[in-house]
Amino acid sequence: MECMRCGTCCVAPDISALGKPPGVRCSNLLNDGSCSIYNERPAVCRGYRPDEICLKVAAPTLDRRVAKYLELFGL
Ligand code: SF4
Ligand code: SF4
């Protein structure tokens, strides 16, 4: 599936390569859902692919999508 640039995967999961705890917005995430360090982003970000999780967390707002993601993974 195609990425909808909803931003959820740059907020909800913990990303140790960035020292980012779960539920905290990555400081590199821009308001349009793009990444300000796209060419230098860590391997974990490069390897991330949209999947059914993106659909499972669908919601009208980023806060709600993040809440659904955290709930889904018990974070
Ligand atoms: S959660 Fe999925 S759809 Fe949203 S930005 Fe990440 S990969 Fe793209
Ligand atoms: S570095 Fe870029 S791709 Fe990785 S979580 Fe942050 S904004 Fe998203």
Side-chain angles (χ1 to χ4, degrees), residues 26-41:
C26 175
S27 58
N28 304 306
L29 177 63
L30 301 175
N31 285 336
D32 68 354
S34 61
C35 174
S36 66
I37 59 161
Y38 188 78
N39 291 327
E40 291 82 38
R41 69 199 190 286

Side-chain angles (χ1 to χ4, degrees), residues 1-43:
M1 64 170 277
E2 200 169 325
C3 174
M4 299 167 281
R5 285 193 175 187
C6 75
T8 309
C9 60
C10 299
V11 180
D14 63 295
I15 303 178
S16 55
L18 296 166
K20 191 191 91 54
V24 174
R25 184 186 178 97
C26 175
S27 58
N28 304 306
L29 177 63
L30 301 175
N31 285 336
D32 68 354
S34 61
C35 174
S36 66
I37 59 161
Y38 188 78
N39 291 327
E40 291 82 38
R41 69 199 190 286

